[in-house]
Amino acid sequence: MIPQVVQVLAGEDFTVYVYFLDGAIRLLDTKPLLKQGGVFSPLCDQDTFRNSLTVMSGTVAWDLEGARNASTCIDLDPCEIYDSCPSASDPLQEVI
């Protein structure tokens, strides 16, 4: 079964808290991706990174155009995130 992302939350220093349907939370560090440049270059701007971050097609995505068009967004493999990123505590628990 492919893990399904249901919520994302931008953290500090280009990290993303990724919430999965099964209750797992992973902490994604995107700095290695940003260093690659190319398609990830627009995300080096902190405001763009935070404001375009979303969930699309069951995974982490950045909707740079704001059109909710899955074919023009930057998205990541949910299996890779689930398997490779460390588990994290829910940062929203501190708010409650």
Side-chain angles (χ1 to χ4, degrees), residues 17-82:
Y17 290 90
V18 183
Y19 297 75
F20 287 90
L21 185 61
D22 70 356
I25 302 171
R26 300 288 193 263
L27 184 59
L28 169 65
D29 180 1
T30 64
K31 289 185 293 300
L33 295 174
L34 301 180
K35 286 181 183 177
Q36 293 178 17
V39 70
F40 298 108
S41 292
L43 302 179
C44 291
D45 175 75
Q46 186 73 40
D47 288 335
T48 301
F49 181 87
R50 288 180 171 276
N51 294 332
S52 62
L53 179 64
T54 190
V55 174
M56 196 174 299
S57 302
T59 193
V60 176
W62 286 269
D63 183 14
L64 299 175
E65 296 177 359
R68 301 292 299 165
N69 182 346
S71 67
T72 61
C73 72
I74 300 168
D75 59 358
L76 303 177
D77 180 357
C79 295
E80 181 70 21
I81 296 168
Y82 195 91

